[in-house]
Amino acid sequence: MQSAFKLLSSIVSAIKQRPILFNGTTGGGLFAGSDALAQEMEQKGIAITTHDNNNNDTFNSRRFLSTIAIGFVIGGFVYPSAYKRLDRLWPGKDWSTVLKKSIVEILTVGILVNTSSMISRGLLVGRDSFHVAQHTLEELPRVTRTDFMVWLPYNLVAFSVIPIYVRPTTTAFMEASWQTYISNRSHDYVLPDTGTRETQQASLMMK
């Protein structure tokens, strides 16, 4: 028990000394796993849409490496800066203050990260910029509603209980799972030949 406590203390000390490196590396790794899962799901959708089952092994390395870089930036810089700024603007952990910070985070950082992710995912797979922008605008209200349902409970816990130097890492775990959902919404385009959506086709194959 004592050795485990010492190990935990050493880890916490390392996080405090090198927060950018730790949070950035964690964010990059988690985003990498999220993108690998998202690509597998998307390839299954493409396979049933094109009736080409041999297409399942296609892996976009450029997109994968880009996602690692995005995860490092978000985990190491974006979320730590956002949390520090919000804590400075509204210090304290009373109910009204925590609720205010939680909502503002979703309406600012949340919308910014979601929009950037959907746009970059669309462009990286070769869609034209006009349709990417149009699709992002169509999906953003739905994504924001889901954001409130998923992230508001987490933010309430994060701002009231989780230490600020650990918060970017716990947020990165949440964000990694969330980005799989964002990938699903990012590629939910209407197929011109069938009039159905890509995720509807993917769900048929997943059953």
Side-chain angles (χ1 to χ4, degrees):
M1 178 67 72
Q2 188 175 3
S3 60
F5 181 77
K6 288 183 178 180
L7 177 61
L8 180 61
S9 299
S10 299
I11 294 175
V12 172
S13 177
I15 295 174
K16 289 182 178 179
Q17 291 176 2
R18 297 178 178 85
I20 294 177
L21 178 62
F22 180 84
N23 292 321
T25 302
T26 303
L30 291 172
F31 270 53
S34 174
D35 184 72
L37 176 61
Q39 288 202 46
E40 181 180 357
M41 294 170 62
E42 291 160 19
Q43 289 303 320
K44 288 181 178 180
I46 292 172
I48 196 167
T49 301
T50 61
H51 305 287
D52 181 11
N53 292 324
N54 296 322
N55 192 44
N56 289 341
D57 294 331
T58 303
F59 187 80
N60 193 326
S61 300
R62 178 180 176 183
R63 168 179 155 178
F64 179 75
L65 294 175
S66 300
T67 302
I68 295 176
I70 293 171
F72 186 90
V73 172
I74 291 176
F77 296 96
V78 176
Y79 278 120
S81 300
Y83 283 136
K84 286 181 181 179
R85 178 63 61 86
L86 289 170
D87 282 334
R88 288 174 182 172
L89 288 174
W90 296 290
K93 295 184 178 181
D94 59 277
W95 172 253
S96 61
T97 300
V98 170
L99 180 61
K100 185 185 299 182
K101 288 190 287 189
S102 300
I103 293 175
V104 170
E105 190 278 333
I106 294 173
L107 293 177
T108 55
V109 180
I111 290 178
L112 174 63
V113 171
N114 292 336
T115 302
S116 300
S117 181
M118 286 191 289
I119 291 175
S120 61
R121 287 178 184 276
L123 295 177
L124 283 171
V125 297
R127 302 185 191 275
D128 66 90
S129 58
F130 174 79
H131 286 99
V132 169
Q134 184 182 44
H135 179 72
T136 300
L137 289 175
E138 291 175 354
E139 289 292 334
L140 195 56
R142 179 191 303 194
V143 168
T144 303
R145 287 195 301 270
T146 309
D147 199 325
F148 267 96
M149 291 187 289
V150 173
W151 283 93
L152 184 57
Y154 167 77
N155 281 346
L156 293 175
V157 174
F159 282 115
S160 59
V161 177
I162 302 175
I164 191 170
Y165 54 85
V166 180
R167 208 180 296 161
T169 299
T170 59
T171 303
F173 276 96
M174 284 284 294
E175 188 67 36
S177 301
W178 176 253
Q179 286 301 317
T180 303
Y181 164 76
I182 290 296
S183 177
N184 178 270
R185 301 316 312 159
S186 298
H187 298 282
D188 194 21
Y189 286 73
V190 175
L191 298 171
D193 295 335
T194 63
T196 59
R197 290 184 176 273
E198 291 180 5
T199 52
Q200 291 175 336
Q201 295 287 345
S203 65
L204 293 175
M205 187 171 185
M206 295 292 286
K207 293 180 179 180

XYZ file of all heavy atoms in Angstrom, residues 3 8 21 43 47 53 61 77 80 87 89 96 99 112 116-117 154-155 167 175-176 184 201:
180
model
N 4.005 1.539 -1.023
C 4.707 1.671 -2.299
C 3.791 2.219 -3.381
O 4.201 3.004 -4.241
C 5.287 0.324 -2.726
O 4.256 -0.637 -2.869
N 2.020 6.797 -6.790
C 1.008 7.784 -7.134
C 1.518 9.199 -6.894
O 1.298 10.100 -7.721
C -0.257 7.536 -6.322
C -1.432 8.497 -6.568
C -1.886 8.414 -8.030
C -2.597 8.179 -5.638
N 3.780 18.436 -21.435
C 4.252 17.185 -22.012
C 3.331 16.029 -21.648
O 2.944 15.231 -22.514
C 5.671 16.884 -21.521
C 6.294 15.567 -22.005
C 6.413 15.567 -23.525
C 7.657 15.345 -21.364
N -14.821 2.683 -42.572
C -14.504 1.763 -43.661
C -15.579 0.697 -43.824
O -15.873 0.255 -44.939
C -13.137 1.106 -43.415
C -11.959 2.046 -43.592
C -11.933 2.669 -44.975
O -12.214 2.004 -45.976
N -11.604 3.947 -45.043
N -17.622 0.093 -47.220
C -17.674 -1.241 -47.828
C -19.089 -1.614 -48.240
O -19.314 -2.144 -49.330
C -17.115 -2.276 -46.858
N -16.022 -5.284 -50.220
C -15.567 -5.747 -48.915
C -14.053 -5.761 -48.785
O -13.519 -5.903 -47.680
C -16.099 -7.166 -48.636
C -17.607 -7.161 -48.446
O -18.165 -6.219 -47.887
N -18.266 -8.206 -48.931
N -3.158 7.054 -43.050
C -2.068 7.372 -42.124
C -1.919 8.869 -41.918
O -1.609 9.325 -40.808
C -0.746 6.796 -42.650
O -0.826 5.393 -42.770
N -2.498 22.249 -24.593
C -2.605 23.706 -24.602
C -4.044 24.226 -24.468
O -4.318 25.087 -23.642
C -1.981 24.260 -25.884
C -0.507 24.001 -26.006
C -0.038 22.911 -26.715
C 0.418 24.843 -25.396
C 1.318 22.657 -26.814
C 1.767 24.605 -25.500
C 2.231 23.507 -26.202
N -6.020 23.082 -20.986
C -5.413 23.707 -19.802
C -5.612 25.216 -19.760
O -5.924 25.790 -18.703
C -3.929 23.336 -19.927
C -3.921 22.081 -20.712
C -5.041 22.227 -21.697
N -11.361 29.413 -14.466
C -11.186 29.438 -13.006
C -10.805 30.827 -12.513
O -11.141 31.216 -11.389
C -10.126 28.419 -12.586
C -10.665 26.995 -12.576
O -11.894 26.840 -12.411
O -9.877 26.049 -12.734
N -11.698 33.698 -14.105
C -12.862 34.563 -14.284
C -13.908 34.343 -13.195
O -14.510 35.301 -12.698
C -13.489 34.318 -15.666
C -12.712 34.833 -16.876
C -13.394 34.392 -18.167
C -12.607 36.356 -16.838
N -23.538 27.640 -8.215
C -23.817 28.574 -9.310
C -22.563 28.874 -10.123
O -22.621 28.988 -11.352
C -24.415 29.872 -8.758
O -23.513 30.504 -7.873
N -21.672 25.768 -12.275
C -22.625 25.656 -13.375
C -22.331 26.677 -14.461
O -22.372 26.364 -15.656
C -24.053 25.838 -12.856
C -25.175 25.742 -13.899
C -25.183 24.377 -14.569
C -26.527 26.036 -13.259
N -15.993 25.419 -30.523
C -14.785 25.632 -31.324
C -14.118 24.307 -31.689
O -13.785 24.063 -32.852
C -13.804 26.517 -30.560
C -12.429 26.714 -31.215
C -12.575 27.429 -32.548
C -11.495 27.496 -30.294
N -14.021 22.672 -35.484
C -12.707 22.436 -36.089
C -12.521 20.969 -36.440
O -11.984 20.629 -37.505
C -11.598 22.879 -35.122
O -11.719 24.245 -34.817
N -12.977 20.084 -35.565
C -12.813 18.653 -35.807
C -13.649 18.197 -37.001
O -13.159 17.455 -37.859
C -13.213 17.867 -34.554
O -13.035 16.485 -34.765
N -20.087 16.066 -16.865
C -18.647 15.944 -16.631
C -18.044 17.258 -16.144
O -17.236 17.276 -15.199
C -17.922 15.498 -17.903
C -16.420 15.652 -17.790
C -15.665 14.735 -17.067
C -15.767 16.738 -18.365
C -14.294 14.894 -16.934
C -14.399 16.905 -18.239
C -13.664 15.979 -17.514
O -12.305 16.150 -17.381
N -18.404 18.369 -16.789
C -17.864 19.665 -16.384
C -18.209 20.003 -14.940
O -17.397 20.595 -14.211
C -18.385 20.766 -17.312
C -17.645 20.816 -18.628
O -16.583 20.221 -18.779
N -18.205 21.512 -19.596
N -7.014 17.737 -14.670
C -8.236 17.938 -15.447
C -8.043 17.789 -16.959
O -8.881 17.154 -17.626
C -8.845 19.298 -15.118
C -10.350 19.355 -15.285
C -10.855 20.739 -14.925
N -10.628 21.065 -13.528
C -10.631 22.304 -13.046
N -10.844 23.319 -13.864
N -10.424 22.520 -11.768
N -12.728 13.323 -24.275
C -12.656 13.845 -25.637
C -12.366 12.738 -26.644
O -12.871 12.762 -27.778
C -11.577 14.922 -25.728
C -11.540 15.679 -27.034
C -12.772 16.551 -27.239
O -13.291 17.108 -26.259
O -13.210 16.677 -28.396
N -11.554 11.746 -26.240
C -11.240 10.645 -27.150
C -12.503 9.881 -27.531
O -12.722 9.552 -28.706
C -10.227 9.704 -26.500
N -18.471 10.185 -36.512
C -19.719 9.671 -37.056
C -20.570 10.777 -37.644
O -21.104 10.665 -38.756
C -20.485 8.930 -35.951
C -21.819 8.395 -36.427
O -22.826 9.089 -36.340
N -21.836 7.171 -36.925
N -26.130 3.420 -43.610
C -25.565 2.291 -44.324
C -24.597 1.542 -43.417
O -24.550 0.306 -43.398
C -24.825 2.772 -45.584
C -25.733 3.399 -46.622
C -26.599 2.369 -47.341
O -26.332 1.185 -47.255
N -27.624 2.819 -48.016
